[in-house]
Amino acid sequence: MVDYSKWKDIEISDDEDETHPNIDTGSLFRWRHQARLERMEEKKKETDEHVKIKSQNNKKLSETKQKLAEAEKSGATNMDELQKALKQLEKEAEQITNKEEEMKKKEKSTPWNVDTISNPGFTKTVINKNLPRQLTENLTDEQREENMRKFIKENEKLLKKFGMLRRYDDSKKFLQDHNQLVCEETANYLVIWCINLEMEEKHDLMEHVAHQTICMQYILELSRELSVDPRACVSSFFTKIQVAMESYKESFDDELRQFKIRIEKRAKEKIAEALAQEEAEREAERQARLGPGGLDPQEVFEELPEELQKCFNERNIPLLQETIAKMPKEEAAYHMKRCVDAGLWVPEAKQDEESADATPNSTPTPAANLDVD
């Protein structure tokens, strides 16, 4: 049976000298960046598809109106059909317009990104710019990992406490009291924690921590767009999210929902990777213990009759000889030949090759791996 417990108790410890195997910090930075690019690409595809549909509808409308005008002049008999088609196209045009308004509304309410950062409503946010922004974009993966290890060692208890908060006022005060947490390392730690919780099948707790993760990522996004230290953006974010319009909150919830989907996908991938590694390690161990005849001693032992298993467990050669002598010759030869091929039984060097067929009269020499318990 595969032991799954090794993946259900994964935790980042503050007393480890090296990065925990599950942190995979360098990949994490790239994964988060890739996820953002994928969301942007999906949004672009949706916009392009809308523009295409709108263009097609406008073209059909124009053509139908022209045909209807020509039909009225010529007194054609298909007037009703053309009028029906025109009404349907006008209805579709209205739906397209409504969808376009919804897209514009959603775009306008999307908080703190490249497209919305210059909106008039946003410029009213007061930011303390006395704190210079700490740039980390030029750090190598190794430097980021080293910073991550040091940060976790110094702040893990505070990070876990922040991850368990839910009320905006509590989170705001906590970050203001512990402003060293307002950084990329906190966002990365929370993402890792979410993945671990999902792998442990603690779905509700994962969703709780995911909410705090998105809050931190929004603060960092605001910091990047305004080129100020993220600590200067804490009060602004929580004030805005608490008094935001419904559409703004819907945008936040949508980002949170998409984040949880990505966490679930990544957790499944990591479990699959761990299982594949486990299987590869088991196969490597199996190959390493194969006997001279290419058989696995563990598999051969498990297929032996109980009386023969007892002989090998006790390393009792006289008992083995006695047991073999009592067995039918063909059956004894079959099992003893497999024991030789698996390395469980090594015939004496003086015996010729034929004696390795493991007949009941053979005199065995114990193998080094005789004990296969």
Side-chain angles (χ1 to χ4, degrees):
M1 296 290 292
V2 178
D3 182 12
Y4 292 90
S5 62
K6 67 195 308 184
W7 303 298
K8 290 193 174 289
D9 296 317
I10 301 173
E11 185 173 358
I12 303 170
S13 174
D14 60 4
D15 61 356
E16 291 178 331
D17 294 331
E18 301 297 333
T19 302
H20 191 284
N22 197 51
I23 289 184
D24 193 16
T25 313
S27 299
L28 174 63
F29 298 120
R30 292 186 289 272
W31 175 68
R32 286 180 55 202
H33 179 65
Q34 181 62 32
R36 181 184 301 175
L37 293 178
E38 289 175 358
R39 294 198 307 274
M40 293 174 61
E41 182 64 23
E42 290 175 2
K43 185 176 181 181
K44 182 177 183 300
K45 288 180 179 179
E46 181 183 8
T47 302
D48 291 344
E49 181 65 20
H50 176 78
V51 171
K52 181 180 177 182
I53 293 174
K54 182 178 180 180
S55 177
Q56 292 174 345
N57 179 266
N58 289 338
K59 182 179 179 181
K60 290 179 181 179
L61 264 175
S62 178
E63 293 175 350
T64 303
K65 288 179 180 180
Q66 184 177 354
K67 290 179 181 179
L68 186 60
E70 293 175 353
E72 288 176 349
K73 292 180 181 180
S74 61
T77 57
N78 61 340
M79 290 283 293
D80 292 341
E81 182 180 345
L82 289 172
Q83 289 176 346
K84 184 178 180 180
L86 181 61
K87 287 182 180 180
Q88 179 61 32
L89 289 170
E90 289 175 342
K91 183 179 179 180
E92 292 177 1
E94 183 179 356
Q95 293 174 347
I96 291 172
T97 301
N98 291 338
K99 183 177 181 179
E100 187 171 350
E101 290 299 321
E102 291 177 4
M103 292 174 66
K104 289 181 179 179
K105 189 176 181 181
K106 184 177 180 180
E107 177 72 19
K108 185 177 180 180
S109 65
T110 301
W112 307 325
N113 56 49
V114 175
D115 297 320
T116 62
I117 196 68
S118 59
N119 284 356
F122 185 82
T123 58
K124 296 179 182 179
T125 302
V126 178
I127 299 293
N128 178 6
K129 294 189 177 182
N130 293 330
L131 293 172
R133 185 185 174 204
Q134 299 177 353
L135 299 176
T136 60
E137 286 83 351
N138 296 326
L139 295 180
T140 65
D141 286 348
E142 290 75 13
Q143 290 173 322
R144 290 173 183 268
E145 291 175 13
E146 177 60 30
N147 288 347
M148 186 76 169
R149 283 195 293 269
K150 181 179 178 182
F151 181 78
I152 292 173
K153 185 176 181 179
E154 295 174 351
N155 299 285
E156 186 165 20
K157 291 182 180 179
L158 293 174
L159 290 167
K160 287 186 176 295
K161 188 171 182 180
F162 173 72
M164 298 302 293
L165 297 176
R166 174 51 61 91
R167 295 180 66 248
Y168 288 126
D169 287 337
D170 293 339
S171 295
K172 176 182 176 180
K173 185 177 186 307
F174 190 82
L175 290 179
Q176 289 176 331
D177 292 342
H178 307 283
N179 62 10
Q180 76 273 19
L181 300 184
V182 189
C183 60
E184 285 283 349
E185 284 77 12
T186 292
N188 294 333
Y189 179 90
L190 294 176
V191 171
I192 294 166
W193 191 8
C194 286
I195 295 174
N196 290 344
L197 290 172
E198 184 63 22
M199 291 172 67
E200 297 166 11
E201 299 183 357
K202 298 178 181 178
H203 308 296
D204 292 341
L205 184 54
M206 182 278 287
E207 293 184 353
H208 188 101
V209 178
H211 179 273
Q212 296 298 89
T213 308
I214 295 302
C215 287
M216 181 56 63
Q217 290 184 350
Y218 271 27
I219 293 171
L220 296 174
E221 182 67 19
L222 175 60
S223 165
R224 282 188 287 270
E225 299 302 339
L226 297 181
S227 295
V228 297
D229 190 287
R231 291 172 293 175
C233 303
V234 173
S235 179
S236 302
F237 166 75
F238 287 108
T239 298
K240 186 169 181 63
I241 194 65
Q242 286 179 289
V243 300
M245 296 183 298
E246 188 64 28
S247 58
Y248 183 92
K249 292 182 178 179
E250 288 176 359
S251 178
F252 179 92
D253 292 340
D254 181 65
E255 178 67 23
L256 176 59
R257 183 168 50 255
Q258 294 299 322
F259 175 74
K260 288 187 288 189
I261 291 174
R262 294 193 297 275
I263 288 295
E264 292 169 0
K265 178 181 177 182
R266 181 56 181 152
K268 291 178 181 178
E269 291 174 349
K270 290 189 71 66
I271 291 176
E273 291 168 2
L275 290 174
Q277 182 178 357
E278 167 84 3
E279 184 62 29
E281 290 174 354
R282 292 176 60 188
E283 180 59 23
E285 292 175 0
R286 178 182 177 279
Q287 291 294 328
R289 65 173 181 257
L290 292 183
L295 297 184
D296 184 347
Q298 182 173 323
E299 294 177 0
V300 170
F301 177 83
E302 292 173 353
E303 294 177 7
L304 289 175
E306 289 185 9
E307 57 269 24
L308 286 180
Q309 289 184 1
K310 180 180 179 181
C311 298
F312 281 101
N313 278 331
E314 296 179 358
R315 296 178 179 270
N316 192 328
I317 294 177
L319 179 59
L320 176 62
Q321 292 172 326
E322 181 182 343
T323 303
I324 292 174
K326 293 179 181 180
M327 296 175 64
K329 184 175 181 179
E330 291 184 358
E331 182 181 353
Y334 169 77
H335 286 300
M336 292 301 100
K337 177 63 167 61
R338 284 172 57 80
C339 287
V340 172
D341 291 342
L344 287 174
W345 180 22
V346 179
E348 290 183 351
K350 66 181 182 179
Q351 295 177 327
D352 57 26
E353 186 176 354
E354 293 181 356
S355 68
D357 289 339
T359 61
N361 296 323
S362 300
T363 303
T365 298
N369 56 352
L370 186 62
D371 186 358
V372 292
D373 280 347

